[in-house]
Amino acid sequence: MVAPVNLTLFAHIAARPEDELDLAEAALLIGDAAYPGLDVPRYLRLLDQLGGEARRAVERPLRAPEATPGSGPVEQLLRWFYGELGFHGNASDYYDPKNSYLHEVLDRRTGIPITLAVVLLEVCWRIGVEAQGVSFPGHFLVRTPVRGGVMLIDPFEGRLLGREDLRALHARATGTPRDPDPRLLVPAQKRQILVRMLNNLRSIYTSRSDAPRLRSVLERIQVLAPSDELRKELDQLGGERPWPSAGRGVN
């Protein structure tokens, strides 16, 4: 059986090397399964537009109340992104699957940490601000290098995190009130980000017993991180076969 075209395209995009993989395009193609005919190029253009607006926001002079010590491009970017544009975490309906589809997040300007992080990362990259995702337990983060270390951002609340904030997030996820292991703060690879996005949808559609949507999600996880266990689960759901491969698993 030939794999669906959109799944084959997803596998093709996901097989690119890390430095050539377009995270936004791959993330939008996750949505193409649930939203047939999704206009992926339109949303990529929207991200380009946001990048242009972000550059102007970061370069404009600060007004006196904003010109606090330490104000820099990242702080200005967050003020614009979460303040003027109104992006925010969807605390009222956290498990709405729309929060996990990038195009819905761009349209509604609300989502969960990982999808808001993807939008923020894409905007940062478009204006030359170095930033990476962090697959922190229970709460995806964004990091950007600063002199002598890194600055950590909570993309759900749009704020910078201090040590106590980080300890609190770690305690909430692990039950251990201590500084997290530094290995939990290393940059996530783009393919790892995609798998985490898909696993969020996997959990939602499993809880809803939505077999068709669950199948499409599992097919994409199988592309990124193939496993015998997942293949058996797909067989039980009657998934399409063979599944195209992205060429390597996620580490």
Side-chain angles (χ1 to χ4, degrees):
M1 184 179 293
V2 178
V5 172
N6 61 354
L7 182 59
T8 302
L9 178 58
F10 177 79
H12 174 73
I13 299 299
R16 294 171 181 168
E18 173 73 10
D19 60 348
E20 297 177 13
L21 174 55
D22 188 322
L23 176 61
E25 184 178 16
L28 288 165
L29 285 171
I30 289 174
D32 187 57
Y35 298 81
L38 179 66
D39 191 348
V40 172
R42 181 172 81 83
Y43 287 98
L44 292 175
R45 291 194 298 271
L46 176 56
L47 284 168
D48 290 339
Q49 178 184 329
L50 290 177
E53 294 175 10
R55 185 177 301 280
R56 291 189 291 274
V58 168
E59 292 176 349
R60 70 191 178 201
L62 291 174
R63 296 187 295 272
E66 298 175 340
T68 56
S71 290
V74 173
E75 291 91 335
Q76 289 177 253
L77 178 63
L78 295 180
R79 192 179 296 115
W80 166 80
F81 188 79
Y82 292 94
E84 295 183 34
L85 292 190
F87 278 92
H88 62 282
N90 191 347
S92 63
D93 197 2
Y94 193 89
Y95 296 102
D96 183 345
K98 292 179 181 178
N99 295 328
S100 291
Y101 290 112
L102 188 60
H103 74 285
E104 288 279 11
V105 175
L106 286 165
D107 282 340
R108 301 162 72 224
R109 300 196 176 183
T110 190
I112 54 177
I114 192 167
T115 45
L116 289 167
V118 170
V119 179
L120 186 58
L121 288 170
E122 290 288 342
V123 170
C124 284
W125 296 338
R126 280 164 170 76
I127 64 173
V129 172
E130 185 179 352
Q132 301 94 24
V134 176
S135 197
F136 196 76
H139 199 97
F140 200 85
L141 305 176
V142 171
R143 55 177 274 166
T144 183
V146 294
R147 184 177 299 178
V150 296
M151 180 185 296
L152 291 168
I153 302 165
D154 178 351
F156 192 72
E157 297 186 0
R159 63 188 180 97
L160 301 178
L161 296 175
R163 180 181 178 183
E164 290 306 314
D165 298 316
L166 201 57
R167 286 171 63 93
L169 283 176
H170 186 263
R172 191 170 73 188
T174 68
T176 306
R178 60 177 175 81
D179 291 336
D181 188 315
R183 289 175 294 183
L184 296 177
L185 301 175
V186 299
Q189 298 292 300
K190 295 172 185 174
R191 290 158 56 81
Q192 292 172 316
I193 295 173
L194 294 169
V195 169
R196 183 155 171 170
M197 290 177 66
L198 286 160
N199 275 326
N200 286 334
L201 287 167
R202 178 183 189 177
S203 177
I204 291 169
Y205 291 138
T206 297
S207 69
R208 296 183 176 195
S209 299
D210 189 334
R213 287 185 171 84
L214 175 60
R215 181 170 58 245
S216 70
V217 167
L218 295 181
E219 287 170 345
R220 281 152 184 77
I221 299 175
Q222 180 70 1
V223 164
L224 292 163
S227 71
D228 290 339
E229 179 183 352
L230 194 56
R231 184 174 289 106
K232 291 177 182 177
E233 189 172 352
L234 274 164
D235 285 342
Q236 292 173 354
L237 289 170
E240 298 285 352
R241 295 201 307 168
W243 299 285
S245 172
R248 54 194 184 281
V250 175
N251 297 316

